[in-house]
Amino acid sequence: MTQSFRTECGGRIRRDRTLAFSFDGRGYVGYEGDTLASALLANGVHLVARSFKYHRPRGIVALAAEEPNALVTIDRSDGRITPNQRATQVALYEGLRAHSQNRWPSLTFDVGVVAQAAGPLLSAGFYYKTFMRPRALWRRLYEPAIRRAAGLGRAPGVADPDRYLHRYVHCEVLVIGSGPAGVAAALAASASGARVILCDEQAELGGSLLAETADLVAGKAVGRWRDDALATLAARGCVTLLPRTTAFGWFPDNFIGLAQRVTDHLAAPDPRLPRERLWQVRAASVVLATGAIERPLVFPHNDRPGVMLADAARSYLQRYGVKVGTRVVVATRDDSAYHAALALHAAGVTIAAIADQRPAPDGTAVIAARNAGLAVVAGTAVTATSGHLRLRAVRLSGHSTAVSCDALLICGGWTPSVHLFSQSRGRLRFDPTIGAFVPGEPAANVHCAGACAGTFELAACIAEGYAAGEAAVSGSSVAPAAASISPKAGADASASPACARTVATTVDAGPTAPTPMSSPHAKAFVDLQNDVTTKDLRIATGEGFRSIEHVKRYTTAGMATDQGKTSNINTLATVAGFLGEPIPAVGHTTFRMPYTPVSFGTLAGAARGPLLEPVRQTPLHDWAAAHGAVFEDVGTWKRARCFPHAGEAPPAAVARECHAVRNAVGLFDASTLGKIEVVGRDAAAFLDLLYPIDVASLAVGRCRYAVMLGENGFVMDDGIVARLMPDRFHVTTTTGGAATVLHHMEDYRQTEFPHLQVWLTSITEQWGVVAVQGPQARMLIASLLPDVDLAAMAHMSVLPCRIAGREARLFRVSFTGEHGYELNVPAGTLPLIWNGLLAAGATLGVTAYGTDAMHVLRAEKGYVVAGQDTDGTVTLADLGLGWMIRRTGRDFVGKRSLSLPDLCRADRCQLVGLLTADPRVVLEEGAQLVAEPRASVPAAMLGHVTSAYWSDTLQRSIALGLLAGGRRRLGETLYVPMTDRVIPVTVTEPTFYDRGGERLHV
């Protein structure tokens, strides 16, 4: 098909570069610089979609992200499909293949249109009221059918082959929006050398300036001023320009999420580049220049293909060289629509009529239209439209005959884009002169300029942008937007009417009050994407809904991917009319992020497939695998559970490994333990505040067991605090708690104790760790450190040393109850040290053991595992470790909570030991404890089993548990009810082996 609706010249497209593409299998051509929407319109294609609920024919309405109808699926030749792309934002490239959605078998003949016949049953809240009885049919028929019909587009069936990356940056000023106000703000802010980022979601920077033609500044044409300004910004090294980049979310402390589309517009993307990139920007100040969205009018059958926003039609003409029709009717209540009429008229399009709802429009644009011979009909509105797959005619109030046309351009005013300002927690205020909400009281360091602040005259937008940019750099405030703001020096205050967007001076009927319906069954759509009509809103208010948030959810107005861009104010005005209240009293809905859709790939970045939760392996993983290790997942780590010999079952291997540790010497890979280095003049004071133990008195070369508490006083994690130097500590954590503890420490360092000079570094991956445990441990370690006096090294001490010419740290600590050491060496050196220990210990009975044996050994000694023997509600006193809490008056995290009455009750769950009456029975972890063997149902639960094992050393089962008032119940018999039996247990001390600790201190 030829481009029959393309102008002979003009626009910003490259007419010398023709691009072939297809839509629903039919081939078309366009030009480089086109969007899919502009190329389709140029080829006379107006029908592009079917509506969500009623499957009504729908066409292109808008120009950019506010498009509610034209959602398409992009199908690349490699089989990758991307649904729900706005045709207005899809850049045209050679070979592009697009398909319409939500129709079957075709766009022109869609059997789903039968939904219109069921329209009375599909009104607001129908899913709450219908198909509920009989319940069997709901489960088997209704719900599956509704789920199959729901949704927009079809999810891809294959894995996404593309790459997505994340980037973190800081800047002094982030300018969002590259229209006149945004460009001016970036110029002003960067003039001082401040780091500035200017982003815009369109493919080309310039915003509304890309469709302007009249003089604007110092006699320069708009295009020349725009190009010169952008060239100036590009030449400044402190400025980063980001086209194709959407600012989708505002997070605390001026943390902004930007989604950049890097290669989607390319027919053959560079494989070295990501498809999209997430910029996470921390900005000292933000300038919002996000512009405004043209507001539709609400009237019967306002959804036919060919009904389009007026300024969008002007932009298609002046930016892409596309005429949206041959005979056009313009319906408006705002002067800006006259600029569209004049532009189309100059391009040879017949303007059949300009229907202005205002009784006496008289602006300069109105006068220009009349002088051009255009028929301006005041005090009239559209009452009906006709046509099936394309608009054919409209009816106007007060006129008996229809006006034939193939396009209807509508404008109900402008709605400032305030979503990001609202997300920043800024308060909005209602401006009655434009009938919309504008930024009010800010809650962050943000400055609003241009149309997003209610200023529509271009010279004023430029001046306001300069002021906002200067204020953003200086840190001063800037007055709220005002249309009367004086222009910056050099700006032409008398901008051409073709450049200006003059807001309506009368809003007596509300922003877009629905016009009278020509038929009681005619649908006047408020939300085009969700098929919400004025009738739906009437039903919602008639059924008692008053909160606009409730109305939104009941009717779905402003939901889905559109998020109310074109429907929000119309919805508020309609509901306000039905309730008999002003719009400010109704309020507005929440501007949720992302206001413009963002792909899952952008949010996920590299965290996908194996990288979604990367598998972490210790330096000894390959050795363990080669020696038959059975692995388990501990957090993201792979850890060896045991090392069965040939023909040996895992339980037998665990028993053998435990026997070796208790009678000879065992080696354990403890590299996964979290390790944090705490350094600085105030390191001891900082740790004193983080832990309930006395760290400040810890001597250099000594270690202390430390339990970390949360603000609530409950146990978070545990480990060792070792003092290497007066200002340097080595802190260990559990394997699974490493990241949490580091985050906890960093949070307090930055927010609660910023006055302390202390630095935190994760060194978990720096050091590989081998635990050497058992009666022969000292002899084995001595083979590697012959010059170290190990006999003089006390339990809970640390000694910096060198092994194999490399720096090392030797800790005398034990998690087995045996004489033991933990040797920290550079991770890459660990396999060498491990093999050396195995060779040296061959005559000593050295044995590698895994986590299963480690758990048995520690349970025999009553050592707890944070997260297994604690459940987030356990205190140190509950574990019998209350003696650890320092008695001085100094503060520490969780101290106040420990004094609360509930945490001091005698009947709290406390750690105890449990011995089954039959020593061969091993309890199940998580099993409940009750007082009676035949307790009533439901029985009173006294506690539960936290750890349970078979102890080869003791030749019986052992268990630990949390029991209400446990220490008062020592010696009592309780019961563990199971599905097939009740198991009697005796409550004991939680230590089963070497209660005096003689073996530990040998």
Side-chain angles (χ1 to χ4, degrees):
M1 178 182 289
T2 61
Q3 300 183 62
S4 55
F5 285 79
R6 185 81 73 175
T7 60
E8 294 183 1
C9 60
R12 301 183 59 79
I13 52 175
R14 292 290 304 271
R15 294 176 184 263
D16 59 330
R17 297 185 181 179
T18 303
L19 303 176
F21 71 100
S22 67
F23 179 66
D24 279 351
R26 187 171 182 178
Y28 302 95
V29 294
Y31 294 125
E32 183 178 303
D34 265 323
T35 63
L36 175 60
S38 66
L40 288 172
L41 289 171
N43 285 275
V45 178
H46 286 72
L47 175 64
V48 295
R50 289 281 177 163
S51 71
F52 171 60
K53 185 166 35 174
Y54 300 118
H55 287 249
R56 290 168 66 93
R58 291 286 169 82
I60 296 166
V61 170
L63 180 73
E66 70 272 17
E67 171 58 46
N69 289 337
L71 301 182
V72 299
T73 294
I74 304 300
D75 184 357
R76 287 192 177 263
S77 58
D78 57 7
R80 184 184 71 204
I81 67 168
T82 309
N84 293 329
Q85 298 297 289
R86 284 168 170 77
T88 53
Q89 292 186 296
V90 175
L92 198 67
Y93 56 82
E94 178 66 27
L96 182 146
R97 296 190 302 178
H99 302 282
S100 57
Q101 303 179 162
N102 202 40
R103 83 290 186 277
W104 185 84
S106 70
L107 190 57
T108 55
F109 180 74
D110 179 15
V111 297
V113 76
V114 299
Q116 293 192 63
L121 298 177
L122 301 178
S123 58
F126 77 93
Y127 33 80
Y128 297 120
K129 310 171 191 175
T130 57
F131 308 133
M132 296 303 176
R133 298 289 187 275
R135 298 195 66 83
L137 281 181
W138 166 253
R139 292 192 302 270
R140 298 175 185 174
L141 177 62
Y142 301 146
E143 184 179 16
I146 290 174
R147 289 189 179 278
R148 282 194 299 269
L152 294 169
R154 179 171 297 179
V158 297
D160 187 347
D162 293 307
R163 294 191 307 124
Y164 303 83
L165 297 181
H166 288 181
R167 185 169 182 177
Y168 300 83
V169 295
H170 291 76
C171 65
E172 275 71 56
V173 182
L174 170 64
V175 181
I176 302 174
S178 67
V183 170
L187 285 171
S190 61
S192 64
R195 292 173 296 175
V196 175
I197 296 176
L198 174 63
C199 69
D200 193 291
E201 66 183 1
Q202 296 194 64
E204 188 178 3
L205 297 177
S208 62
L209 295 173
L210 297 172
E212 301 290 0
T213 58
D215 288 350
L216 176 63
V217 179
K220 289 184 180 180
V222 172
R224 176 68 181 276
W225 182 87
R226 175 199 62 229
D227 293 343
D228 288 351
L230 291 174
T232 299
L233 290 172
R236 290 177 176 171
C238 60
V239 177
T240 301
L241 301 178
L242 295 178
R244 305 181 189 278
T245 302
T246 301
F248 65 86
W250 189 308
F251 304 88
D253 300 319
N254 280 18
F255 190 58
I256 315 296
L258 309 179
Q260 180 188 22
R261 301 176 298 281
V262 181
T263 60
D264 256 7
H265 61 293
L266 302 175
D270 187 336
R272 295 171 298 178
L273 294 176
R275 181 179 182 183
E276 297 178 2
R277 182 182 288 115
L278 175 64
W279 292 68
Q280 299 179 60
V281 181
R282 184 79 69 179
S285 185
V286 178
V287 174
L288 290 181
T290 47
I293 295 174
E294 195 170 16
R295 195 181 308 147
L297 296 171
V298 180
F299 51 85
H301 298 302
N302 59 335
D303 65 325
R304 298 192 193 280
V307 179
M308 180 178 291
L309 295 174
D311 199 67
R314 182 181 68 88
S315 296
Y316 278 116
L317 175 68
Q318 296 182 339
R319 184 171 172 183
Y320 300 105
V322 172
K323 297 179 288 188
V324 299
T326 58
R327 181 177 171 83
V328 172
V329 171
V330 178
T332 183
R333 54 182 296 106
D334 188 278
D335 284 1
S336 62
Y338 286 85
H339 305 317
L342 288 166
L344 289 168
H345 173 69
V349 176
T350 300
I351 305 300
I354 300 178
D356 197 323
Q357 291 185 16
R358 296 173 296 180
D362 60 355
T364 55
V366 179
I367 295 172
R370 286 174 173 151
N371 290 340
L374 303 184
V376 178
V377 186
T380 189
V382 177
T383 59
T385 66
S386 60
H388 178 44
L389 301 180
R390 175 77 183 273
L391 179 72
R392 297 303 177 197
V394 301
R395 286 189 173 274
L396 303 178
S397 59
H399 293 70
S400 58
T401 59
V403 181
S404 63
C405 61
D406 58 359
L408 170 62
L409 309 185
I410 57 176
C411 177
W414 293 85
T415 303
S417 295
V418 295
H419 53 288
L420 288 171
F421 183 85
S422 179
Q423 289 174 15
S424 73
R425 302 300 181 185
R427 292 182 177 274
L428 302 179
R429 63 179 179 84
F430 188 77
D431 185 345
T433 62
I434 62 173
F437 288 93
V438 296
E441 181 183 350
N445 193 355
V446 57
H447 307 277
C448 301
C452 77
T455 300
F456 296 91
E457 199 276 316
L458 281 177
C461 286
I462 295 285
E464 199 166 275
Y466 273 110
E470 291 172 345
V473 172
S474 66
S476 61
S477 61
V478 64
S484 60
I485 187 169
S486 58
K488 183 76 173 180
D492 183 0
S494 58
S496 167
C499 296
R501 289 175 177 169
T502 307
V503 298
T505 56
T506 57
V507 288
D508 52 294
T512 52
T515 56
M517 295 188 180
S518 58
S519 164
H521 302 293
K523 296 182 184 299
F525 289 92
V526 176
D527 187 318
L528 292 171
Q529 184 167 107
N530 296 292
D531 274 354
V532 180
T533 67
T534 54
K535 178 183 176 182
D536 294 322
L537 298 178
R538 182 182 290 277
I539 290 173
T541 55
E543 293 186 2
F545 290 97
R546 293 295 183 269
S547 166
I548 192 62
E549 292 284 7
H550 293 163
V551 172
K552 171 183 176 178
R553 282 152 183 78
Y554 193 65
T555 63
T556 71
M559 296 179 68
T561 65
D562 181 66
Q563 285 294 296
K565 294 181 182 65
T566 57
S567 64
N568 185 273
I569 289 295
N570 286 344
T571 299
L572 300 182
T574 305
V575 170
F578 290 148
L579 295 178
E581 296 179 349
I583 293 178
V586 173
H588 58 83
T589 56
T590 302
F591 293 89
R592 303 190 183 280
M593 62 184 77
Y595 186 65
T596 300
V598 177
S599 71
F600 288 123
T602 297
L603 299 177
R608 51 180 295 183
L611 296 179
L612 176 62
E613 193 173 42
V615 175
R616 304 172 75 182
Q617 299 176 351
T618 74
L620 294 176
H621 181 86
D622 291 343
W623 182 93
H627 287 78
V630 177
F631 290 100
E632 67 172 340
D633 295 323
V634 181
T636 55
W637 288 96
K638 288 288 185 182
R639 301 192 72 180
R641 293 181 55 191
C642 58
F643 298 88
H645 290 171
E648 186 178 39
V654 173
R656 173 178 52 79
E657 292 167 10
C658 290
H659 184 269
V661 174
R662 292 291 184 221
N663 297 279
V665 61
L667 300 183
F668 177 70
D669 182 2
S671 302
T672 64
L673 289 177
K675 295 173 280 291
I676 302 168
E677 193 149 301
V678 183
V679 181
R681 183 191 69 189
D682 299 316
F686 174 74
L687 292 174
D688 243 8
L689 290 165
L690 264 291
Y691 288 99
I693 64 171
D694 185 3
V695 177
S697 65
L698 189 64
V700 173
R702 300 295 304 200
C703 311
R704 192 162 287 166
Y705 176 62
V707 178
M708 177 169 282
L709 307 181
E711 283 281 9
N712 52 19
F714 298 139
V715 172
M716 282 181 57
D717 201 82
D718 67 347
I720 298 293
V721 173
R723 194 164 197 167
L724 304 174
M725 299 171 65
D727 61 350
R728 185 179 298 267
F729 291 81
H730 180 117
V731 178
T732 67
T733 74
T734 62
T735 295
T740 301
V741 170
L742 180 60
H743 179 274
H744 179 77
M745 285 183 167
E746 193 66 53
D747 183 32
Y748 275 88
R749 187 189 74 83
Q750 295 187 32
T751 63
E752 301 298 326
F753 314 130
H755 58 285
L756 298 180
Q757 291 189 17
V758 60
W759 292 267
L760 309 173
T761 305
S762 173
I763 54 173
T764 299
E765 284 79 12
Q766 177 182 347
W767 297 103
V769 181
V770 54
V772 184
Q773 304 283 301
Q776 302 297 327
R778 180 182 295 164
M779 187 174 296
L780 181 55
I781 288 291
S783 67
L784 292 184
L785 298 169
D787 298 329
V788 175
D789 184 4
L790 296 177
M793 191 175 183
H795 180 59
M796 298 300 285
S797 61
V798 59
L799 177 68
C801 57
R802 297 187 70 84
I803 298 180
R806 302 295 300 276
E807 179 186 1
R809 293 173 179 175
L810 179 65
F811 295 79
R812 184 177 168 186
V813 294
S814 174
F815 197 50
T816 62
E818 298 293 335
H819 187 95
Y821 302 85
E822 287 184 5
L823 181 60
N824 286 240
V825 298
T829 309
L830 185 60
L832 174 66
I833 302 302
W834 179 272
N835 287 321
L837 289 168
L838 288 174
T843 59
L844 301 175
V846 67
T847 299
Y849 68 98
T851 56
D852 281 3
M854 178 268 291
H855 279 292
V856 174
L857 295 167
R858 65 91 189 172
E860 291 173 348
K861 286 290 295 179
Y863 296 156
V864 300
V865 173
Q868 178 170 336
D869 298 305
T870 65
D871 61 0
T873 65
V874 174
T875 68
L876 281 170
D878 297 335
L879 297 177
L881 300 176
W883 54 268
M884 292 178 56
I885 302 174
R886 60 173 179 258
R887 302 306 173 188
T888 64
R890 285 181 292 176
D891 196 11
F892 58 85
V893 174
K895 179 180 179 180
R896 175 183 176 277
S897 296
L898 292 179
S899 64
L900 296 175
D902 189 63
L903 271 64
C904 301
R905 297 191 337 260
D907 62 344
R908 286 183 56 80
C909 283
Q910 298 165 343
L911 184 73
V912 295
L914 300 170
L915 295 176
T916 56
D918 183 346
R920 296 169 299 177
V921 176
V922 179
L923 297 173
E924 289 188 14
E925 293 178 353
Q928 297 294 310
L929 298 167
V930 298
E932 302 294 335
R934 290 181 176 82
S936 59
V937 180
M941 303 299 176
L942 303 178
H944 68 281
V945 179
T946 61
S947 300
Y949 309 99
W950 171 260
S951 169
D952 188 69
T953 301
L954 302 173
Q955 284 296 296
R956 65 158 298 121
S957 67
I958 59 173
L960 299 175
L962 290 172
L963 177 64
R967 284 191 285 274
R968 295 181 302 175
R969 294 177 177 270
L970 297 181
E972 288 187 16
T973 298
L974 299 177
Y975 301 90
V976 178
M978 305 300 293
T979 55
D980 58 343
R981 55 182 170 166
V982 175
I983 303 172
V985 296
T986 300
V987 181
T988 70
E989 292 284 353
T991 303
F992 305 100
Y993 175 78
D994 188 26
R995 291 184 176 177
E998 291 84 0
R999 300 177 66 89
L1000 189 67
H1001 296 281
V1002 171

